[in-house]
Coordinates of all heavy atoms in Angstrom, one line a residue:
M1007 N -16.8 1.5 -2.9 CA -16.1 0.3 -3.3 C -14.9 0.1 -2.5 O -14.1 1.0 -2.3 CB -15.8 0.4 -4.8 CG -15.5 -0.9 -5.4 SD -15.2 -0.8 -7.2 CE -16.8 -0.3 -7.8
V1008 N -14.7 -1.1 -1.9 CA -13.6 -1.4 -1.1 C -12.6 -2.3 -1.8 O -13.0 -3.4 -2.2 CB -14.1 -2.0 0.2 CG1 -12.9 -2.4 1.1 CG2 -15.1 -1.1 0.9
L1009 N -11.4 -1.8 -2.0 CA -10.4 -2.6 -2.7 C -10.2 -4.0 -2.0 O -10.0 -4.0 -0.8 CB -9.1 -1.9 -2.8 CG -8.0 -2.6 -3.6 CD1 -8.5 -2.7 -5.1 CD2 -6.8 -1.7 -3.6
G1010 N -10.2 -5.0 -2.7 CA -9.9 -6.3 -2.1 C -11.2 -7.1 -1.7 O -11.2 -8.3 -1.5
R1011 N -12.3 -6.3 -1.6 CA -13.6 -7.0 -1.2 C -14.6 -7.0 -2.4 O -15.4 -7.8 -2.4 CB -14.2 -6.3 0.0 CG -13.3 -6.5 1.2 CD -14.0 -6.0 2.5 NE -13.1 -6.2 3.6 CZ -13.1 -5.5 4.7 NH1 -14.1 -4.6 4.9 NH2 -12.3 -5.7 5.7
T1012 N -14.5 -6.0 -3.2 CA -15.4 -6.0 -4.3 C -14.8 -6.2 -5.7 O -15.5 -6.6 -6.6 CB -16.1 -4.6 -4.4 OG1 -15.1 -3.6 -4.5 CG2 -16.9 -4.4 -3.1
Y1013 N -13.5 -6.1 -5.8 CA -12.9 -6.4 -7.1 C -12.7 -7.9 -7.2 O -12.4 -8.6 -6.2 CB -11.5 -5.7 -7.2 CG -11.5 -4.3 -7.4 CD1 -11.2 -3.4 -6.4 CD2 -11.9 -3.8 -8.7 CE1 -11.2 -2.0 -6.7 CE2 -12.0 -2.4 -8.9 CZ -11.6 -1.5 -7.9 OH -11.6 -0.2 -8.1
P1014 N -12.8 -8.4 -8.4 CA -12.5 -9.9 -8.6 C -11.1 -10.2 -8.4 O -10.2 -9.3 -8.4 CB -12.9 -10.1 -10.0 CG -12.8 -8.8 -10.7 CD -13.1 -7.8 -9.7
E1015 N -10.8 -11.4 -8.1 CA -9.4 -11.9 -7.8 C -8.5 -11.5 -9.0 O -7.3 -11.3 -8.8 CB -9.4 -13.4 -7.6 CG -9.9 -13.8 -6.2 CD -9.1 -13.2 -5.1 OE1 -7.8 -13.3 -5.1 OE2 -9.7 -12.7 -4.1
T1016 N -9.0 -11.5 -10.2 CA -8.2 -11.2 -11.4 C -7.7 -9.8 -11.3 O -6.7 -9.5 -12.0 CB -9.0 -11.5 -12.7 OG1 -10.1 -10.6 -12.7 CG2 -9.3 -12.9 -12.8
F1017 N -8.3 -8.9 -10.6 CA -7.8 -7.6 -10.5 C -6.3 -7.6 -10.1 O -5.5 -7.0 -10.7 CB -8.6 -6.7 -9.6 CG -8.1 -5.3 -9.4 CD1 -8.3 -4.4 -10.3 CD2 -7.4 -5.0 -8.2 CE1 -7.7 -3.1 -10.1 CE2 -6.8 -3.8 -8.0 CZ -7.0 -2.8 -9.0
M1018 N -6.0 -8.3 -9.0 CA -4.7 -8.3 -8.4 C -3.7 -9.0 -9.4 O -2.6 -8.6 -9.5 CB -4.6 -8.9 -7.0 CG -5.3 -8.0 -6.0 SD -4.5 -6.4 -5.8 CE -2.9 -6.8 -5.3
T1019 N -4.2 -10.1 -9.9 CA -3.3 -10.8 -10.8 C -3.0 -10.1 -12.1 O -2.0 -10.2 -12.7 CB -3.8 -12.2 -11.2 OG1 -5.1 -12.1 -11.7 CG2 -3.9 -13.1 -9.9
D1020 N -3.9 -9.2 -12.5 CA -3.7 -8.3 -13.7 C -2.8 -7.2 -13.3 O -2.0 -6.7 -14.2 CB -5.0 -7.8 -14.2 CG -5.9 -8.8 -14.8 OD1 -5.4 -9.9 -15.2 OD2 -7.1 -8.6 -15.0
V1021 N -2.8 -6.7 -12.1 CA -2.0 -5.6 -11.7 C -0.5 -6.0 -11.5 O 0.4 -5.2 -11.7 CB -2.6 -5.0 -10.4 CG1 -1.6 -4.0 -9.8 CG2 -3.9 -4.3 -10.7
V1022 N -0.3 -7.2 -11.0 CA 1.1 -7.6 -10.7 C 2.1 -7.4 -11.8 O 3.1 -6.8 -11.7 CB 1.2 -9.0 -10.1 CG1 2.6 -9.5 -10.0 CG2 0.5 -9.1 -8.8
P1023 N 1.8 -7.9 -13.0 CA 2.7 -7.7 -14.1 C 2.9 -6.3 -14.4 O 4.1 -5.8 -14.7 CB 2.0 -8.4 -15.3 CG 1.1 -9.4 -14.7 CD 0.6 -8.8 -13.4
F1024 N 1.9 -5.4 -14.3 CA 2.0 -4.0 -14.6 C 3.0 -3.4 -13.5 O 3.9 -2.6 -13.9 CB 0.7 -3.3 -14.5 CG 0.8 -1.8 -14.5 CD1 1.0 -1.1 -15.7 CD2 0.6 -1.1 -13.4 CE1 1.1 0.2 -15.7 CE2 0.7 0.3 -13.4 CZ 1.0 1.0 -14.6
V1025 N 2.8 -3.7 -12.3 CA 3.6 -3.2 -11.2 C 5.1 -3.6 -11.4 O 6.0 -2.8 -11.3 CB 3.1 -3.7 -9.8 CG1 4.1 -3.3 -8.7 CG2 1.8 -3.0 -9.5
E1026 N 5.3 -4.9 -11.7 CA 6.7 -5.4 -11.9 C 7.3 -4.7 -13.1 O 8.5 -4.5 -13.1 CB 6.7 -6.9 -12.1 CG 6.3 -7.6 -10.8 CD 6.2 -9.1 -11.0 OE1 6.0 -9.6 -12.1 OE2 6.3 -9.8 -10.0
R1027 N 6.6 -4.5 -14.2 CA 7.1 -3.8 -15.4 C 7.4 -2.3 -15.2 O 8.3 -1.8 -15.7 CB 6.1 -3.9 -16.5 CG 6.3 -5.1 -17.4 CD 5.4 -4.9 -18.7 NE 4.2 -4.2 -18.6 CZ 3.0 -4.7 -18.3 NH1 2.8 -6.0 -18.1 NH2 1.9 -3.9 -18.3
T1028 N 6.6 -1.7 -14.4 CA 6.5 -0.2 -14.3 C 7.4 0.4 -13.2 O 8.0 1.4 -13.4 CB 5.1 0.3 -14.2 OG1 4.3 -0.3 -15.2 CG2 5.0 1.8 -14.3
Y1029 N 7.4 -0.3 -12.1 CA 8.0 0.3 -10.9 C 9.3 -0.5 -10.5 O 9.3 -1.7 -10.5 CB 7.0 0.3 -9.7 CG 5.8 1.1 -10.1 CD1 4.6 0.5 -10.4 CD2 5.8 2.5 -10.0 CE1 3.5 1.3 -10.7 CE2 4.7 3.3 -10.3 CZ 3.6 2.6 -10.7 OH 2.5 3.4 -11.0
R1030 N 10.3 0.3 -10.1 CA 11.5 -0.3 -9.7 C 11.6 -0.4 -8.2 O 12.5 -1.0 -7.6 CB 12.7 0.5 -10.1 CG 12.8 0.5 -11.6 CD 14.0 1.3 -12.1 NE 14.0 1.4 -13.5 CZ 14.8 2.2 -14.2 NH1 15.6 3.1 -13.6 NH2 14.7 2.2 -15.5
V1031 N 10.6 0.2 -7.5 CA 10.5 0.2 -6.0 C 9.4 -0.8 -5.6 O 8.3 -0.8 -6.2 CB 10.2 1.6 -5.5 CG1 10.1 1.6 -4.0 CG2 11.3 2.5 -6.0
A1032 N 9.6 -1.6 -4.6 CA 8.6 -2.5 -4.1 C 7.4 -1.6 -3.6 O 7.6 -0.5 -3.1 CB 9.1 -3.3 -3.0
P1033 N 6.2 -2.2 -3.8 CA 5.1 -1.4 -3.3 C 5.2 -1.1 -1.8 O 5.8 -1.9 -1.0 CB 3.9 -2.4 -3.4 CG 4.3 -3.3 -4.5 CD 5.8 -3.4 -4.4
Y1034 N 4.8 0.1 -1.4 CA 5.0 0.6 -0.1 C 3.6 0.9 0.5 O 2.8 1.7 -0.2 CB 5.8 1.9 -0.1 CG 6.0 2.6 1.3 CD1 7.0 2.2 2.1 CD2 5.0 3.5 1.7 CE1 7.2 2.9 3.3 CE2 5.2 4.1 3.0 CZ 6.3 3.8 3.8 OH 6.4 4.4 5.0
M1035 N 3.2 0.4 1.6 CA 1.9 0.6 2.2 C 2.2 1.0 3.7 O 3.0 0.3 4.4 CB 1.1 -0.6 2.2 CG 0.6 -1.0 0.8 SD -0.4 -2.5 0.9 CE -1.8 -2.0 1.9
A1036 N 1.5 2.0 4.1 CA 1.6 2.4 5.5 C 0.2 3.0 5.9 O -0.4 3.6 5.2 CB 2.7 3.5 5.7
V1037 N -0.1 2.7 7.2 CA -1.5 3.1 7.6 C -1.4 3.3 9.1 O -0.7 2.6 9.8 CB -2.5 2.0 7.2 CG1 -2.3 0.7 7.9 CG2 -3.9 2.5 7.5
G1038 N -2.2 4.3 9.6 CA -2.3 4.5 11.0 C -3.2 3.5 11.7 O -4.3 3.2 11.0
V1039 N -3.0 3.1 12.9 CA -3.9 2.2 13.5 C -5.2 2.7 13.8 O -6.2 2.0 14.1 CB -3.2 1.6 14.8 CG1 -2.0 0.7 14.5 CG2 -2.9 2.6 15.8
D1040 N -5.4 4.1 13.8 CA -6.7 4.7 14.0 C -7.3 5.1 12.7 O -8.4 5.8 12.7 CB -6.5 5.9 14.9 CG -6.0 5.6 16.3 OD1 -6.4 4.5 16.8 OD2 -5.1 6.3 16.8
D1041 N -6.7 4.8 11.6 CA -7.2 5.1 10.2 C -8.5 4.3 9.9 O -8.5 3.1 10.2 CB -6.1 4.8 9.2 CG -6.4 5.5 7.9 OD1 -7.5 5.5 7.4 OD2 -5.4 6.0 7.3
I1042 N -9.4 5.0 9.3 CA -10.6 4.3 8.9 C -10.4 3.2 7.8 O -11.2 2.4 7.5 CB -11.7 5.2 8.4 CG1 -11.2 6.1 7.2 CG2 -12.2 6.1 9.5 CD1 -12.3 6.9 6.6
L1043 N -9.2 3.3 7.2 CA -8.8 2.4 6.1 C -8.0 1.2 6.6 O -7.4 0.5 5.7 CB -8.2 3.1 5.0 CG -9.0 4.2 4.3 CD1 -8.2 5.0 3.3 CD2 -10.2 3.6 3.6
L1044 N -7.8 1.1 7.9 CA -6.9 0.0 8.4 C -7.3 -1.4 7.9 O -6.5 -2.1 7.4 CB -6.9 0.1 9.9 CG -6.0 -1.0 10.6 CD1 -4.5 -0.8 10.2 CD2 -6.1 -0.8 12.1
D1045 N -8.6 -1.7 8.1 CA -9.0 -3.1 7.7 C -8.8 -3.3 6.2 O -8.4 -4.3 5.7 CB -10.5 -3.3 8.1 CG -10.7 -3.4 9.6 OD1 -9.7 -3.8 10.3 OD2 -11.8 -3.1 10.0
N1046 N -9.2 -2.3 5.4 CA -9.0 -2.4 3.9 C -7.5 -2.5 3.6 O -7.2 -3.3 2.7 CB -9.5 -1.1 3.2 CG -11.0 -1.0 3.4 OD1 -11.7 -2.0 3.8 ND2 -11.5 0.2 3.2
S1047 N -6.6 -1.8 4.3 CA -5.2 -1.9 4.0 C -4.7 -3.3 4.3 O -3.9 -3.9 3.6 CB -4.4 -0.9 4.8 OG -4.8 0.4 4.4
R1048 N -5.2 -3.9 5.4 CA -4.8 -5.3 5.7 C -5.3 -6.3 4.7 O -4.5 -7.2 4.3 CB -5.3 -5.7 7.1 CG -4.6 -4.9 8.2 CD -5.2 -5.2 9.5 NE -4.5 -4.5 10.6 CZ -5.0 -4.4 11.8 NH1 -6.2 -4.9 12.2 NH2 -4.2 -3.8 12.8
V1049 N -6.5 -6.1 4.1 CA -7.0 -7.0 3.1 C -6.1 -6.8 1.8 O -5.7 -7.8 1.2 CB -8.5 -6.6 2.8 CG1 -8.9 -7.4 1.5 CG2 -9.3 -7.0 4.0
L1050 N -5.8 -5.6 1.4 CA -5.0 -5.3 0.3 C -3.6 -5.9 0.4 O -3.1 -6.6 -0.5 CB -4.9 -3.8 0.0 CG -4.0 -3.5 -1.2 CD1 -4.5 -4.1 -2.5 CD2 -4.0 -1.9 -1.3
L1051 N -3.0 -5.8 1.6 CA -1.7 -6.4 1.9 C -1.7 -7.9 1.6 O -0.9 -8.4 1.0 CB -1.3 -6.1 3.3 CG 0.0 -6.8 3.8 CD1 1.2 -6.3 3.1 CD2 0.1 -6.6 5.3
Q1052 N -2.8 -8.5 2.2 CA -2.8 -10.0 2.0 C -3.0 -10.4 0.5 O -2.4 -11.3 0.1 CB -4.0 -10.6 2.8 CG -4.0 -12.1 2.9 CD -2.6 -12.6 3.5 OE1 -2.2 -12.2 4.5 NE2 -2.0 -13.5 2.7
H1053 N -3.8 -9.6 -0.2 CA -4.0 -9.9 -1.7 C -2.6 -9.7 -2.4 O -2.3 -10.5 -3.2 CB -5.0 -8.9 -2.3 CG -6.4 -9.4 -2.1 ND1 -6.9 -10.5 -2.6 CD2 -7.4 -8.8 -1.5 CE1 -8.2 -10.6 -2.3 NE2 -8.5 -9.6 -1.6
M1054 N -1.9 -8.7 -2.0 CA -0.6 -8.5 -2.7 C 0.4 -9.6 -2.4 O 1.0 -10.1 -3.3 CB 0.0 -7.1 -2.2 CG -0.8 -5.9 -2.7 SD -0.2 -4.4 -2.0 CE 1.0 -4.0 -3.2
K1055 N 0.4 -10.1 -1.2 CA 1.2 -11.2 -0.8 C 0.8 -12.5 -1.5 O 1.6 -13.2 -2.0 CB 1.2 -11.4 0.7 CG 2.0 -10.4 1.5 CD 1.9 -10.7 2.9 CE 2.8 -9.7 3.7 NZ 2.7 -10.0 5.2
N1056 N -0.5 -12.7 -1.7 CA -1.0 -13.9 -2.3 C -0.7 -14.0 -3.8 O -0.6 -15.1 -4.3 CB -2.6 -13.9 -2.2 CG -3.0 -14.2 -0.8 OD1 -2.2 -14.7 0.1 ND2 -4.3 -14.0 -0.5
V1057 N -0.5 -12.8 -4.4 CA -0.1 -12.8 -5.8 C 1.4 -12.7 -6.1 O 1.8 -12.5 -7.2 CB -0.9 -11.8 -6.7 CG1 -2.4 -12.1 -6.6 CG2 -0.6 -10.4 -6.2
G1058 N 2.2 -12.7 -5.0 CA 3.6 -12.7 -5.2 C 4.3 -11.3 -5.0 O 5.5 -11.3 -5.2
L1059 N 3.6 -10.3 -4.7 CA 4.3 -9.0 -4.4 C 4.8 -9.0 -3.0 O 4.2 -9.7 -2.1 CB 3.3 -7.8 -4.6 CG 2.9 -7.6 -6.0 CD1 1.8 -6.5 -6.1 CD2 4.1 -7.2 -6.9
A1060 N 5.8 -8.3 -2.7 CA 6.4 -8.2 -1.4 C 6.5 -6.7 -0.9 O 7.5 -6.1 -1.0 CB 7.8 -8.8 -1.4
P1061 N 5.3 -6.2 -0.6 CA 5.3 -4.8 -0.2 C 5.9 -4.5 1.1 O 6.0 -5.4 2.0 CB 3.8 -4.5 -0.1 CG 3.1 -5.8 0.2 CD 4.0 -6.8 -0.4
T1062 N 6.4 -3.3 1.3 CA 6.8 -2.8 2.6 C 5.5 -2.4 3.2 O 4.7 -1.6 2.6 CB 7.8 -1.6 2.4 OG1 9.0 -2.0 1.8 CG2 8.1 -1.0 3.8
Y1063 N 5.3 -2.8 4.4 CA 4.0 -2.5 5.1 C 4.3 -2.1 6.6 O 5.1 -2.7 7.2 CB 3.1 -3.7 5.1 CG 1.8 -3.4 5.8 CD1 0.7 -2.8 5.1 CD2 1.6 -3.8 7.1 CE1 -0.5 -2.6 5.7 CE2 0.3 -3.6 7.7 CZ -0.7 -2.9 7.0 OH -1.9 -2.7 7.7
K1064 N 3.7 -1.0 7.0 CA 3.9 -0.6 8.4 C 2.6 0.0 8.9 O 1.8 0.6 8.2 CB 5.0 0.4 8.6 CG 4.9 1.7 7.8 CD 5.9 2.8 8.2 CE 7.3 2.3 8.3 NZ 8.2 3.4 8.6
E1065 N 2.3 -0.3 10.2 CA 1.2 0.3 10.9 C 1.8 1.2 12.0 O 2.7 0.7 12.7 CB 0.3 -0.7 11.5 CG -0.5 -1.5 10.5 CD -1.4 -2.6 11.1 OE1 -1.6 -2.6 12.3 OE2 -1.9 -3.4 10.3
T1066 N 1.4 2.4 12.1 CA 1.9 3.3 13.1 C 0.8 4.0 13.8 O -0.4 3.9 13.4 CB 2.7 4.4 12.4 OG1 1.8 5.2 11.5 CG2 3.9 3.9 11.6
P1067 N 1.1 4.6 15.0 CA 0.0 5.3 15.7 C -0.5 6.5 14.8 O 0.2 7.0 14.0 CB 0.7 5.9 16.9 CG 2.0 5.1 17.0 CD 2.3 4.6 15.7
G1068 N -1.8 6.8 14.9 CA -2.3 7.9 14.1 C -3.5 7.5 13.3 O -3.9 6.3 13.2
A1069 N -4.1 8.5 12.7 CA -5.3 8.3 11.8 C -4.9 8.7 10.4 O -3.8 8.8 10.0 CB -6.4 9.2 12.4
H1070 N -5.9 9.1 9.6 CA -5.8 9.4 8.2 C -5.6 10.9 8.1 O -6.5 11.7 7.8 CB -7.1 9.0 7.5 CG -7.0 8.9 6.0 ND1 -6.4 7.8 5.4 CD2 -7.3 9.7 5.0 CE1 -6.4 8.0 4.1 NE2 -7.0 9.2 3.8
T1071 N -4.4 11.4 8.5 CA -4.1 12.8 8.6 C -2.8 13.2 7.9 O -2.0 12.3 7.6 CB -4.0 13.3 10.0 OG1 -2.9 12.6 10.6 CG2 -5.3 12.9 10.8
F1072 N -2.6 14.4 7.6 CA -1.4 14.9 6.9 C -0.2 14.6 7.8 O 0.9 14.3 7.2 CB -1.5 16.4 6.7 CG -0.2 17.0 6.2 CD1 0.2 16.8 4.9 CD2 0.6 17.7 7.1 CE1 1.4 17.4 4.5 CE2 1.8 18.3 6.7 CZ 2.2 18.1 5.4
F1073 N -0.3 14.7 9.1 CA 0.9 14.5 9.9 C 1.4 13.1 9.8 O 2.6 12.8 9.9 CB 0.5 14.9 11.4 CG 0.1 16.3 11.5 CD1 -1.2 16.6 11.7 CD2 1.1 17.3 11.4 CE1 -1.6 18.0 11.8 CE2 0.7 18.6 11.5 CZ -0.6 19.0 11.7
V1074 N 0.5 12.1 9.7 CA 0.9 10.7 9.5 C 1.4 10.5 8.1 O 2.5 9.9 7.9 CB -0.3 9.8 9.8 CG1 0.0 8.4 9.5 CG2 -0.8 9.9 11.2
W1075 N 0.8 11.1 7.1 CA 1.2 11.0 5.7 C 2.6 11.6 5.6 O 3.5 11.0 4.8 CB 0.3 11.7 4.7 CG -1.1 11.2 4.7 CD1 -1.6 10.0 5.1 CD2 -2.2 12.0 4.2 NE1 -2.9 10.0 4.9 CE2 -3.3 11.2 4.4 CE3 -2.3 13.2 3.7 CZ2 -4.6 11.6 4.0 CZ3 -3.6 13.7 3.3 CH2 -4.7 12.8 3.5
R1076 N 2.9 12.7 6.2 CA 4.2 13.3 6.1 C 5.3 12.4 6.6 O 6.4 12.3 6.0 CB 4.2 14.6 6.9 CG 5.5 15.4 6.8 CD 5.3 16.7 7.5 NE 5.1 16.5 8.9 CZ 4.8 17.5 9.8 NH1 4.8 18.8 9.4 NH2 4.6 17.2 11.1
E1077 N 5.0 11.7 7.7 CA 6.0 10.7 8.1 C 6.3 9.6 7.1 O 7.4 9.2 6.8 CB 5.5 10.1 9.5 CG 6.5 9.0 10.0 CD 5.9 8.3 11.2 OE1 5.1 8.9 11.9 OE2 6.3 7.1 11.4
Y1078 N 5.2 9.1 6.5 CA 5.3 8.1 5.5 C 6.1 8.6 4.3 O 6.9 7.9 3.7 CB 4.0 7.5 5.0 CG 3.1 6.9 6.2 CD1 1.8 6.9 6.1 CD2 3.7 6.4 7.3 CE1 1.0 6.4 7.1 CE2 2.9 5.8 8.3 CZ 1.6 5.8 8.2 OH 0.8 5.3 9.2
L1079 N 5.8 9.8 3.9 CA 6.5 10.4 2.7 C 8.0 10.5 3.0 O 8.8 10.1 2.1 CB 5.9 11.8 2.4 CG 6.5 12.5 1.2 CD1 6.3 11.6 -0.1 CD2 5.9 13.8 1.0
S1080 N 8.3 10.9 4.1 CA 9.8 11.1 4.4 C 10.4 9.7 4.5 O 11.6 9.6 4.3 CB 10.0 11.8 5.7 OG 9.5 11.1 6.8
D1081 N 9.7 8.7 4.8 CA 10.2 7.3 4.8 C 10.3 6.7 3.4 O 11.3 6.1 3.1 CB 9.3 6.4 5.7 CG 9.8 5.0 5.9 OD1 11.0 4.9 6.1 OD2 9.0 4.1 5.9
F1082 N 9.3 7.0 2.6 CA 9.3 6.4 1.3 C 10.1 7.1 0.2 O 10.7 6.5 -0.7 CB 7.8 6.2 0.8 CG 7.7 5.7 -0.6 CD1 8.0 4.4 -0.8 CD2 7.2 6.5 -1.6 CE1 7.9 3.9 -2.1 CE2 7.1 6.0 -2.9 CZ 7.4 4.7 -3.1
A1083 N 10.0 8.4 0.2 CA 10.6 9.2 -0.9 C 12.0 8.9 -1.2 O 12.4 8.8 -2.4 CB 10.4 10.7 -0.6
P1084 N 12.9 8.7 -0.2 CA 14.3 8.4 -0.5 C 14.4 7.1 -1.4 O 15.4 7.0 -2.1 CB 15.0 8.2 0.8 CG 14.1 9.1 1.8 CD 12.7 8.9 1.2
Q1085 N 13.5 6.2 -1.2 CA 13.6 4.9 -2.0 C 13.4 5.2 -3.5 O 13.9 4.4 -4.3 CB 12.5 4.0 -1.5 CG 12.7 3.5 -0.1 CD 11.5 2.6 0.3 OE1 11.0 1.8 -0.5 NE2 11.1 2.7 1.6
L1086 N 12.8 6.3 -3.8 CA 12.5 6.6 -5.2 C 13.8 7.0 -6.0 O 13.9 6.9 -7.2 CB 11.5 7.7 -5.4 CG 10.1 7.4 -4.9 CD1 9.2 8.6 -4.9 CD2 9.5 6.2 -5.7
F1087 N 14.8 7.4 -5.2 CA 16.0 8.0 -5.8 C 17.3 7.1 -5.6 O 18.4 7.6 -5.7 CB 16.3 9.4 -5.2 CG 15.1 10.3 -5.5 CD1 14.1 10.6 -4.5 CD2 14.9 10.8 -6.8 CE1 13.1 11.4 -4.8 CE2 13.8 11.6 -7.1 CZ 12.9 11.9 -6.1
R1088 N 17.1 5.9 -5.2 CA 18.2 4.9 -5.1 C 18.7 4.4 -6.4 O 18.0 4.2 -7.3 CB 17.8 3.8 -4.1 CG 17.6 4.2 -2.7 CD 17.4 3.1 -1.8 NE 17.1 3.6 -0.5 CZ 16.7 2.9 0.5 NH1 16.6 1.6 0.4 NH2 16.5 3.5 1.7

């Protein structure tokens, strides 16, 4: 199942109120340009923007690997403690 392509539009509109109520940090998305999930991430990003969320989004060199995730974690984790 591919997020954004198989879920109905109401999925995102149902999720937005939950995200706004639950999280104090804006959604964060990062993906490597060689990642097999790149296209799906772009679709999800557009859905999030369409329903009013303002995610932080970045594309970096790399694939779906720990080394890429580690960079994203070091970028995102400090936001959790502001």
Side-chain angles (χ1 to χ4, degrees):
M1007 199 176 292
V1008 179
L1009 185 61
R1011 293 189 183 156
T1012 57
Y1013 286 110
E1015 286 296 317
T1016 57
F1017 175 79
M1018 289 303 294
T1019 56
D1020 292 342
V1021 168
V1022 171
F1024 172 78
V1025 169
E1026 290 174 340
R1027 270 193 327 267
T1028 308
Y1029 300 100
R1030 296 180 184 167
V1031 177
Y1034 177 92
M1035 295 179 59
V1037 63
V1039 294
D1040 298 319
D1041 194 319
I1042 59 172
L1043 298 173
L1044 178 61
D1045 291 335
N1046 296 342
S1047 296
R1048 290 175 176 166
V1049 170
L1050 177 58
L1051 172 67
Q1052 192 56 53
H1053 279 297
M1054 294 174 89
K1055 288 180 175 181
N1056 289 346
V1057 298
L1059 291 174
T1062 297
Y1063 180 83
K1064 60 170 45 177
E1065 291 181 9
T1066 63
H1070 198 81
T1071 65
F1072 171 76
F1073 300 105
V1074 175
W1075 301 340
R1076 184 174 60 184
E1077 177 185 335
Y1078 301 153
L1079 181 60
S1080 67
D1081 185 41
F1082 175 69
Q1085 297 177 35
L1086 297 174
F1087 303 101
R1088 289 185 185 175

